[in-house]
Amino acid sequence: MNTPETKDKLKNMFCEIKMENPSADFMKELMLRIEKETAAKKKRQYFLTLSLILTGILSIILISGSIIYFLKIEITTIKFPNIYFILRNIFKDFSIDPKITGLGLIILLLLSGDLILRKFISHKKDMI
Amino acid sequence: MEKSNDLYWIQCIKAGDSSAFSHIVSAYQKMVFNIILRIVSHREDAEDITQEVFVKVFRSLSNFKEESEFSTWLYRIAYNTTLSELRKKKMMVFSFEDNFSDSGDEDIHDETGDISTEERIQYLEQSIKMLNSEDALIITLFYMNDQTIEQISSITKLTAANVKVKLYRIRKKLAIEINKLIEK
């Protein structure tokens, strides 16, 4: 039996084969596919995270809803603290101008909205 | 390529730098492509299958345990992907009934020295293409890529003894086919 250690004509013949390179576009095409794979993976990850968050929120609502339903708790029997009263006591020493406070709140809301939109757009760009 | 280099790039890819994969491709594309090229007839088919191999390697990198040899792991993917792609493309060559078991120890004729290198390569390539795809991959990994019997055993999931027997039979088949071509 021919062993690889002994003089092996086949080995010599294999050594004579010239190694060829794949075409010039091979690497470019492959890396494009890899980029697409990465984008698809990120997209899958994004939707997985989103669905996990939604599932979490839904389960919180469902669990609390079923507790309220099965234990026959009436919402009207739960007494929430009087927030207006608390706030009035806290801020009684401050003189708050409702116009300025309202304007500030609107600016804060607009900035938050802008931030969320920018994040959403940049995430979409990453996925493309 | 050094093993530590491979591991460095793998860690970069795992950390999210997918462009680092180009280093892995550069290091192994030539060998993977040439192994596949010996089995399929067209360069385009060989390139398609090589691409598929590397895409699978990229997808499975998270499953790669860094304590094992990366090249063996990559060649295992290459071996399995090539066989499944050939099956898909219906290019799989199934073993022709071999009548070699009773033909005794066969060696390639000494006349190989009298023929040109081009002819020798041509005969060898023709003979490899007559083997079934699995055998062609095993012999190419063994001779072209210098994989040891243990490494081939790990790549193909065959026992080392089985690989040895297969190699013996493949060598015999090749010798008979090459001799036939020389005699012609």
Side-chain angles (χ1 to χ4, degrees), chain A residues 38-111:
Chain A
T38 314
K41 201 176 167 186
K42 272 186 187 169
K43 201 175 175 181
R44 274 198 302 272
Q45 200 72 42
Y46 172 74
F47 282 113
L48 185 76
T49 315
L50 196 72
S51 55
L52 278 175
I53 291 169
L54 287 175
T55 315
I57 294 169
L58 267 175
S59 17
I60 290 167
I61 294 167
L62 276 174
I63 291 166
S64 48
S66 43
I67 289 170
I68 289 166
Y69 178 78
F70 289 111
L71 296 180
K72 289 173 183 152
I73 299 169
E74 285 180 33
I75 297 289
T76 47
T77 58
I78 301 169
K79 281 186 180 169
F80 292 104
N82 192 337
I83 294 168
Y84 179 70
F85 179 77
I86 295 166
L87 284 175
R88 206 177 59 183
N89 276 325
I90 293 169
F91 295 110
K92 67 181 174 191
D93 295 331
F94 299 103
S95 55
I96 299 166
D97 187 341
K99 277 183 189 169
I100 292 169
T101 317
L103 195 71
L105 273 173
I106 288 166
I107 290 167
L108 187 74
L109 274 172
L110 284 172
L111 281 172

Side-chain angles (χ1 to χ4, degrees), chain A residues 1-2 4 8-11 13-14 16-23 26-27 29-31 33-34 37-38, chain B residues 18 22 25-26 29-31 34 38 43 47 51-52 58-59 105 108 110 120-121 142-144 146 168 171:
Chain A
M1 177 176 167
N2 284 338
D8 196 332
K9 285 176 196 160
L10 263 177
K11 171 85 185 164
M13 287 173 90
F14 268 95
E16 285 174 339
I17 296 177
K18 277 185 192 146
M19 298 275 270
E20 289 178 47
N21 275 313
S23 65
F26 176 81
M27 177 70 108
E29 281 170 22
L30 179 62
M31 287 317 287
R33 277 188 74 180
I34 297 299
E37 279 286 322
T38 314
Chain B
S18 58
S22 62
V25 178
S26 303
Q29 61 170 355
K30 200 172 177 182
M31 187 48 83
N34 276 279
R38 301 279 86 78
R43 276 185 68 92
E47 279 195 10
Q51 278 221 2
E52 215 49 55
F58 181 77
R59 278 187 200 146
D105 268 355
I108 298 165
D110 289 330
R120 269 202 303 274
I121 293 171
F142 185 70
Y143 279 126
M144 249 179 106
D146 285 330
Y168 170 68
R171 272 197 290 258

Side-chain angles (χ1 to χ4, degrees), chain B residues 12-179:
Chain B
C12 288
I13 300 160
K14 280 185 178 176
D17 178 12
S18 58
S19 63
F21 192 65
S22 62
H23 297 278
I24 298 285
V25 178
S26 303
Y28 293 100
Q29 61 170 355
K30 200 172 177 182
M31 187 48 83
V32 173
F33 175 69
N34 276 279
I35 290 170
I36 297 167
L37 192 61
R38 301 279 86 78
I39 298 149
V40 297
S41 309
H42 304 289
R43 276 185 68 92
E44 292 77 26
D45 291 327
E47 279 195 10
D48 286 349
I49 298 172
T50 311
Q51 278 221 2
E52 215 49 55
V53 167
F54 282 106
V55 170
K56 277 201 181 165
V57 166
F58 181 77
R59 278 187 200 146
S60 324
L61 261 182
S62 53
N63 303 328
F64 171 63
K65 307 276 179 294
E66 284 168 26
E67 58 259 26
S68 62
E69 185 110 20
F70 177 70
S71 59
T72 309
W73 181 80
L74 185 140
Y75 288 124
R76 184 156 61 235
I77 293 180
Y79 174 82
N80 291 327
T81 310
T82 307
L83 292 182
S84 72
E85 284 298 311
L86 290 177
R87 244 177 251 129
K88 256 192 250 169
K89 291 176 193 259
K90 296 195 170 115
M91 286 156 66
M92 188 92 168
V93 179
F94 293 98
S95 181
F96 52 94
E97 194 48 52
D98 57 69
N99 305 307
F100 309 115
S101 45
D102 54 350
S103 60
D105 268 355
E106 184 88 21
D107 201 3
I108 298 165
H109 291 340
D110 289 330
E111 287 88 51
T112 46
D114 303 333
I115 57 175
S116 68
T117 312
E118 285 75 27
E119 272 178 310
R120 269 202 303 274
I121 293 171
Q122 196 195 330
Y123 292 163
L124 177 64
E125 288 187 331
Q126 265 179 266
S127 308
I128 294 171
K129 286 196 170 75
M130 289 192 75
L131 295 171
N132 72 50
S133 310
E134 199 186 332
D135 288 352
L137 276 171
I138 291 173
I139 198 81
T140 317
L141 279 168
F142 185 70
Y143 279 126
M144 249 179 106
N145 201 19
D146 285 330
Q147 297 282 306
T148 62
I149 285 169
E150 285 70 30
Q151 282 169 325
I152 294 175
S153 154
S154 166
I155 291 166
T156 56
K157 297 275 174 200
L158 296 167
T159 61
N162 206 342
V163 173
K164 272 186 197 171
V165 173
K166 266 187 174 285
L167 279 172
Y168 170 68
R169 290 170 66 86
I170 300 165
R171 272 197 290 258
K172 215 154 103 175
K173 281 181 196 176
L174 278 181
I176 291 172
E177 284 308 316
I178 293 168
N179 286 342

